[in-house]
Amino acid sequence: MNILAIESSCDETAAAIVRDGRDILSNVVSSQIDVHQATGGVVPEVAARLQLETIGPVITESLKQAKLDWEAINALAVTSGPGLVGSLLVGVETAKALAYSRNLPLIPVNHLAGHLYACLAQETSWQFPYLGLIVSGGHTELVLMESHRKFTLVGSTRDDAAGEAFDKVGKLLGLSYPAGPEISALAAKGNSQAIAFPRAMLDQANFDFSFSGLKTAVLREISSNSPSKKDVAASFQQAVADALAIKTVRAAGEYKPTAVLLGGGVAANTLLRRTLKNALANLAIPLLATPPVLATDNAAMIGLAAFWQKDRALQDKQVLDLTADPNAPLASPASANVS
Ligand code: KG4
Ligand code: ZN
């Protein structure tokens, strides 16, 4: 089964073709980073307009790279939320038009589910439950995945997302947007023990995170002590990785998953991958981290998720009822949070 997937939830316009939930035949991503660097972040109206300009050529390119024509496509998939409404609408309306006119089923996919399935591309024998840590520019969530249908929210950030913290600290350090990769490169040359930044909420009996205090601590440190940028980057990155790893390991102890999944843009961070892997080793729980090429937003992850959720496919006129949902939740909250 060949699924052509479309992802346009934020500032990447992406299309991919995925066969049987495993083989990525093409994965085309057009990024708007250059444009948003000038404003130091994403301006939603600009993002939506650029999505509109690029989506057609990106879809055509995904077919070309996979060496397939439309006759070989069995279904369409699209990110229906969460994300920026204007950006999401471009992907959703394009997918609806294509599905209806070509008489193909359309599978709506939650963007965060995509980040989780990006970790599961190589999974052959499904061994539920998995515990997923999604760390991106907009989200920081711990999700228990008990089946392809059942996702339960176990913890989330109370304020900034982990990627947002990287981007805000990057701004304080005079780095360009998005700052994650640059902070990580600077940190490699710095001392992660140089500055004792806080690891928030560790004494609380829940699996939630908080990163806004860390950002304020970085601001205070920069304005009062003029430390080296390398040491700030290294100490900040270590504080984020520690906070994420400690809470994730606690949740893993509670929910006893067969593996922990690490997905989302921040999952490209080498220190985070290493810290989490080592911390889980004590519990003998393996880490399935997303391949770095599938960490930041792309459509292959939507095509992977769509195959396993194809029972949600909309057929015929049903496809016209699909709407973009900027706040689409992946999971309902767990009834009790215990540590
Ligand atoms: O998943 P993603 O592409 O978009 C959202 O759905 O938000 O994540 C983008 C985020 C940005 O905040 C970026 O700074 C961060 O991922 N990021 C990183 C790294 N690469 C990207 N953060 C830390 N280390 C990295 N190597
Ligand atoms: Zn994302």
Side-chain angles (χ1 to χ4, degrees):
M1 180 183 195
N2 293 327
I3 297 179
L4 191 153
I6 297 171
E7 148 67 40
S8 71
S9 65
C10 187
D11 58 342
E12 261 94 25
T13 316
I17 298 174
V18 178
R19 179 169 291 165
D20 297 335
R22 190 169 315 278
D23 301 322
I24 299 169
L25 306 185
S26 64
N27 190 16
V28 181
V29 181
S30 165
S31 170
Q32 307 175 355
I33 280 178
D34 295 355
V35 175
H36 297 303
Q37 269 172 351
T39 43
V42 176
V43 178
E45 289 76 11
V46 176
R49 184 168 49 73
L50 293 174
Q51 295 279 6
L52 203 52
E53 284 172 15
T54 2
I55 195 135
V58 164
I59 292 171
T60 305
E61 185 63 22
S62 73
L63 285 159
K64 192 172 153 208
Q65 288 189 13
K67 299 192 176 60
L68 295 178
D69 53 27
W70 276 106
E71 277 56 54
I73 301 301
N74 308 105
L76 283 153
V78 68
T79 303
S80 52
L84 300 173
V85 68
S87 289
L88 282 169
L89 270 171
V90 174
V92 168
E93 294 305 321
T94 304
K96 284 163 67 173
L98 286 169
Y100 192 64
S101 62
R102 295 188 180 274
N103 204 17
L104 289 167
L106 174 58
I107 309 163
V109 174
N110 184 292
H111 179 80
L112 301 178
H115 278 307
L116 291 180
Y117 279 90
C119 310
L120 292 162
Q122 301 308 318
E123 198 67 339
T124 43
S125 59
W126 291 86
Q127 304 271 339
F128 294 105
Y130 300 98
L131 178 69
L133 174 63
I134 303 163
V135 273
S136 72
H139 294 87
T140 301
E141 297 191 356
L142 266 173
V143 176
L144 188 68
M145 182 179 175
E146 291 172 275
S147 72
H148 292 300
R149 280 216 150 257
K150 190 165 184 215
F151 297 80
T152 307
L153 187 67
V154 165
S156 61
T157 182
R158 296 281 179 91
D159 38 59
D160 293 348
E164 197 179 351
F166 269 91
D167 296 336
K168 286 181 175 171
V169 165
K171 225 176 207 175
L172 296 176
L173 293 174
L175 308 177
S176 54
Y177 169 88
E182 265 192 85
I183 291 193
S184 153
L186 259 183
K189 297 180 251 160
N191 174 5
S192 63
Q193 310 297 316
I195 308 157
F197 286 131
R199 277 80 169 146
M201 299 185 68
L202 296 189
D203 54 346
Q204 294 188 21
N206 57 39
F207 305 120
D208 291 339
F209 308 96
S210 164
F211 294 106
S212 73
L214 175 56
K215 173 197 63 196
T216 312
V218 171
L219 175 62
R220 210 177 302 123
E221 180 68 24
I222 293 175
S223 40
S224 47
N225 297 328
S226 325
S228 89
K229 281 189 185 184
K230 294 177 208 158
D231 287 349
V232 173
S235 303
F236 160 78
Q237 180 181 248
Q238 189 69 56
V240 174
D242 285 348
L244 290 169
I246 290 168
K247 282 282 172 103
T248 304
V249 166
R250 268 193 219 167
E254 171 80 16
Y255 293 100
K256 310 213 169 11
T258 62
V260 166
L261 316 177
L262 176 63
V266 185
N269 189 277
T270 318
L271 179 87
L272 173 61
R273 296 165 85 93
R274 195 169 61 228
T275 307
L276 192 52
K277 188 169 177 222
N278 290 343
L280 287 166
N282 298 329
L283 298 177
I285 295 177
L287 176 70
L288 298 179
T290 177
V293 289
L294 297 182
T296 46
D297 291 349
N298 64 85
M301 67 185 196
I302 303 304
L304 291 166
F307 179 79
W308 300 104
Q309 299 188 339
K310 54 185 179 302
D311 55 330
R312 299 179 182 186
L314 305 169
Q315 310 278 353
D316 306 320
K317 286 209 159 117
Q318 278 179 333
V319 306
L320 302 176
D321 296 334
L322 181 64
T323 49
D325 180 357
N327 302 311
L330 169 62
S332 49
S335 51
N337 270 348
V338 259
S339 73

